[in-house]
Amino acid sequence: MEILEQIAQEAEQNTQVPAYPRSVEKVIAAVMSSPNFWKIVDLSDEPLPLVAEILKLLNKRDLVVFEGNQILLTEAGAELAKKLGIEPFASHRCPTCNGRGVVIDDSLRPAFEKFLEIQKNRPPAIHQYDQGYVTPENTFARVALADDRGDLRGKKVCVLGDDDLMSIALALTGLPARVTILEIDERLVNFIKEVSDKYGLNIDARVHDLRQPLPEDVVGAYDTFFTDPPETVEAIKAFVGRGVATLKGPRCAGYFGVTRRESSLDKWARIQKVLLDMGLVITDLLHNFNEYVNWDYYQEMRGWQLTPVKEPPKEIWYKSTQFRVETIRGFKGFNEPIVGDIYNDAESSTT
Ligand SMILES: NCCCCN(CCCN)CCCN
């Protein structure tokens, strides 16, 4: 059997993560592009547990070697790549918008500058809630995207989970008529309330565990929602399903991130089916739109145990695709209690 297929099968057996010859091919191309484990995960766009396992299997076959913290192809590895026509990655990403399709232009800049100041005192991301916030510029790019699609001006907006401080960014622009945030972490709710009082932002901030049904007055009352769920199908139901339950009716919008770092394409297929079954249409999918600041609990996360070399992440490696969805006739949200673990599955690695 062809070696890529062989390695893919063995990797899938050892990790329970769906693996394909292309998964192995992309890891080899990533090693040809960078010796850094986190960059290799970023470029591979495969779940971290699978990338770590493929690297170990390539090492066992003497195709890759671990020299200190570097991951390098061996002579045999380079020969195999040549034989199979595998080449390093090439990028043509737009340097102006960083592939997001929107920019923080003059109309948003004053609010953005204020946000940059305010977020300096934000509570640090904690492991308990799988937190990991995106860069301040990224938070504002999400605002720009939603305004570009006509989803903010004069609208009622609900944010479900807000370590990204979307509620503050949205309120600083003055564009939405109302901003409500539901967040389990009291540190964040208190911080957002303090900022809201200090800057007169009138943010409706509430402590709420999204595994519980929404507060009555939030159901069916909003035009647009934002959320950034943990990467299990259950969490998508809990966060996105609840977000849909906040919407007033058809043709309302929702925004959330789905990553490749903790989700295989097989899981993406399940997630997208859940979305369609809720009566949503996926109107936008912006690859690597979201870039997450490295969190300091990385040594506690499962992924750290799996890495073949122990070097702390420096550059941003964890990214996600920004989804925009819109409701059509017959849509239905999810507002039942959620029991069980919404943070972990075979592919998750930063929980
Ligand atoms: N555990 C660290 C990374 C978590 C990222 N997740 C939550 C992000 C909250 N801002 C999920 C990202 C994609 N859904």
Side-chain angles (χ1 to χ4, degrees):
M1 176 200 297
E2 202 245 320
I3 185 153
L4 296 184
E5 175 60 48
Q6 227 174 44
I7 295 172
Q9 273 194 16
E10 203 176 329
E12 180 160 341
Q13 267 152 28
N14 298 348
T15 60
Q16 296 309 301
V17 177
Y20 299 82
R22 185 167 192 188
S23 314
V24 184
E25 191 182 313
K26 291 204 296 177
V27 170
I28 293 172
V31 174
M32 295 169 83
S33 311
S34 166
N36 176 281
F37 173 75
W38 305 100
K39 187 69 185 160
I40 287 166
V41 172
D42 182 13
L43 291 170
S44 301
D45 240 8
E46 294 282 340
L48 187 151
L50 181 62
V51 175
E53 183 62 25
I54 288 172
L55 287 170
K56 288 170 191 165
L57 296 175
L58 288 169
N59 177 245
K60 254 171 52 183
R61 287 170 171 74
D62 190 33
L63 296 168
V64 148
V65 69
F66 306 134
E67 265 170 31
N69 282 337
Q70 300 224 310
I71 299 170
L72 308 165
L73 276 192
T74 61
E75 271 300 297
E79 258 155 53
L80 176 70
K82 199 159 177 324
K83 192 179 90 180
L84 297 176
I86 300 174
E87 296 190 18
F89 284 98
S91 166
H92 306 282
R93 199 166 179 84
C94 172
T96 306
C97 73
N98 186 19
R100 296 189 171 122
V102 289
V103 285
I104 300 171
D105 51 33
D106 296 348
S107 67
L108 290 172
R109 188 144 292 278
F112 176 56
E113 306 288 356
K114 243 191 241 172
F115 181 75
L116 274 179
E117 268 315 297
I118 292 169
Q119 60 85 34
K120 282 179 182 159
N121 307 319
R122 71 199 299 166
I126 53 175
H127 193 191
Q128 182 182 358
Y129 300 124
D130 179 32
Q131 291 176 352
Y133 53 79
V134 296
T135 64
E137 177 242 354
N138 188 161
T139 298
F140 252 78
R142 288 177 176 171
V143 174
L145 177 68
D147 192 34
D148 181 84
R149 301 300 196 269
D151 293 325
L152 295 187
R153 289 168 195 251
K155 307 276 189 184
K156 287 182 64 181
V157 179
C158 189
V159 184
L160 299 97
D162 198 17
D163 67 342
D164 297 325
L165 303 182
M166 283 300 298
S167 55
I168 295 176
L170 287 161
L172 282 169
T173 67
L175 295 176
R178 180 94 171 114
V179 177
T180 295
I181 163 228
L182 305 176
E183 165 62 52
I184 193 169
D185 184 346
E186 286 204 38
R187 300 172 312 142
L188 281 166
V189 175
N190 293 338
F191 177 73
I192 289 165
K193 277 184 172 165
E194 277 158 33
V195 169
S196 180
D197 293 347
K198 184 175 172 192
Y199 290 84
L201 300 178
N202 193 23
I203 297 171
D204 166 22
R206 311 185 205 180
V207 177
H208 180 82
D209 178 345
L210 284 165
R211 286 168 295 198
Q212 304 314 318
L214 296 168
E216 265 310 298
D217 69 314
V218 167
V219 178
Y222 292 82
D223 302 288
T224 305
F225 75 84
F226 291 87
T227 190
D228 195 5
E231 287 296 312
T232 61
V233 179
E234 279 311 295
I236 295 287
K237 272 198 215 139
F239 286 62
V240 175
R242 294 246 195 280
V244 175
T246 71
L247 297 179
K248 282 178 185 167
R251 306 307 305 273
C252 288
Y255 292 85
F256 50 92
V258 181
T259 187
R260 301 286 291 276
R261 305 293 172 277
E262 301 185 272
S263 296
S264 62
L265 287 186
D266 294 67
K267 195 197 306 185
W268 269 48
R270 291 203 304 279
I271 288 170
Q272 291 181 3
K273 195 173 172 332
V274 164
L275 300 175
L276 294 178
D277 289 349
M278 274 195 256
L280 299 172
V281 177
I282 301 170
T283 63
D284 297 79
L285 272 158
L286 294 156
H287 182 247
N288 285 357
F289 185 101
N290 295 313
E291 300 178 330
Y292 300 78
V293 174
N294 282 315
W295 45 91
D296 53 23
Y297 63 82
Y298 66 88
Q299 281 163 314
E300 295 159 33
M301 65 185 196
R302 179 169 163 253
W304 182 252
Q305 318 310 324
L306 302 171
T307 61
V309 297
K310 298 295 173 212
E311 181 185 23
K314 287 186 192 58
E315 285 175 34
I316 286 182
W317 65 279
Y318 194 106
K319 298 169 186 173
S320 75
T321 291
Q322 186 72 344
F323 277 57
R324 177 181 183 274
V325 293
E326 216 172 304
T327 49
I328 50 172
R329 281 191 208 103
F331 79 96
K332 57 190 176 324
F334 180 84
N335 201 23
E336 308 305 316
I338 303 255
V339 291
D341 180 2
I342 62 168
Y343 292 112
N344 298 290
D345 61 23
E347 304 179 10
S348 50
S349 56
T350 68
T351 42

